[in-house]
Amino acid sequence: MHTIWTRANAIFAFTLSVLAVATFAAFVSTLFSDYSTPVQIHVTNPRLKSINDYGVDGVRSDLAMFGMDIHVDVSPVYNWNVKQLFLYLVAEYKSPKYKMNQVVLWDKIIKRDELSVVHEEHVIPKYYFFDEGNNLLNHKNVTLQLRWNVIPNAGYIRLAQGEGAARVEFPSSYITGRF
């Protein structure tokens, strides 16, 4: 009456249905979890250099550099549905041309089995901090915030932000020579 293939198909379909329900339950069980945690960012020795912008003749741009310490324990963020975290440090500031400028300066991937305490000291930005023009000169309110993407086992990627930020005040003069 029923062949072996019909029974195998029924078992396979039932197994996939159970796995789909279990995956959805994993997603729903962590849907309202809080993914924020306290962050400490300390900035030292902010400095600026004026460099040629090769995209436009005669235009100079600001290149910023500073040292920083980043301390965060992301272990409260992890639950059984979190596979890894993608941490990134963002500099935000206003300029006359744009209401909001955002620049990613540093990033790190933390997998589930790795140490979940980030303790970076005397780090320089991983990526260049350029500004089109001279908007960083004597800028007193550049905010550094640590954010992360939560990569789950099941569900959608969440965006979260650490509790705490650092404010950077850039000097009113450029340095000459090397950083």
Side-chain angles (χ1 to χ4, degrees), residues 75-137:
S75 58
V77 174
Y78 278 96
N79 57 40
W80 61 277
N81 193 26
V82 175
K83 186 186 307 184
Q84 70 183 18
L85 298 175
F86 177 72
L87 281 72
Y88 56 99
L89 185 71
V90 176
E92 291 183 347
Y93 62 98
K94 293 181 182 180
S95 66
K97 190 173 181 180
Y98 301 107
K99 284 198 303 188
M100 177 64 70
N101 296 290
Q102 294 180 331
V103 180
V104 174
L105 301 175
W106 175 88
D107 63 10
K108 183 174 184 148
I109 295 174
I110 301 177
K111 295 182 180 176
R112 181 176 191 81
D113 298 334
E114 294 178 0
L115 187 62
S116 59
V117 176
V118 176
H119 187 76
E120 301 280 341
E121 290 192 2
H122 310 295
V123 178
I124 60 171
K126 193 174 181 180
Y127 306 108
Y128 288 119
F129 188 2
F130 278 109
D131 179 68
E132 295 177 357
N134 58 356
N135 297 318
L136 292 177
L137 189 65

Side-chain angles (χ1 to χ4, degrees), residues 4-164:
I4 189 77
W5 297 114
T6 306
R7 293 178 185 203
N9 185 32
I11 291 172
F12 182 70
F14 177 72
T15 303
L16 283 181
S17 300
V18 169
L19 288 175
V21 169
T23 303
F24 183 73
F27 164 66
V28 169
S29 69
T30 59
L31 186 62
F32 300 107
S33 297
D34 183 24
Y35 291 104
S36 64
T37 187
V39 173
Q40 295 176 358
I41 303 169
H42 180 69
V43 176
T44 58
N45 194 17
R47 51 207 186 276
L48 290 172
K49 188 171 187 175
S50 181
I51 61 168
N52 287 329
D53 187 354
Y54 293 104
V56 182
D57 291 335
V59 175
R60 298 189 62 84
S61 295
D62 287 349
L63 173 62
M65 186 62 69
F66 48 83
M68 57 188 171
D69 300 334
I70 302 170
H71 303 284
V72 61
D73 180 11
V74 291
S75 58
V77 174
Y78 278 96
N79 57 40
W80 61 277
N81 193 26
V82 175
K83 186 186 307 184
Q84 70 183 18
L85 298 175
F86 177 72
L87 281 72
Y88 56 99
L89 185 71
V90 176
E92 291 183 347
Y93 62 98
K94 293 181 182 180
S95 66
K97 190 173 181 180
Y98 301 107
K99 284 198 303 188
M100 177 64 70
N101 296 290
Q102 294 180 331
V103 180
V104 174
L105 301 175
W106 175 88
D107 63 10
K108 183 174 184 148
I109 295 174
I110 301 177
K111 295 182 180 176
R112 181 176 191 81
D113 298 334
E114 294 178 0
L115 187 62
S116 59
V117 176
V118 176
H119 187 76
E120 301 280 341
E121 290 192 2
H122 310 295
V123 178
I124 60 171
K126 193 174 181 180
Y127 306 108
Y128 288 119
F129 188 2
F130 278 109
D131 179 68
E132 295 177 357
N134 58 356
N135 297 318
L136 292 177
L137 189 65
N138 202 25
H139 200 296
K140 300 296 182 194
N141 194 18
V142 176
T143 305
L144 300 180
Q145 292 183 327
L146 188 66
R147 298 179 180 165
W148 48 84
N149 295 348
V150 180
I151 313 297
N153 292 314
Y156 60 91
I157 296 175
R158 294 175 183 258
L159 303 175
Q161 179 172 304
E163 298 168 0

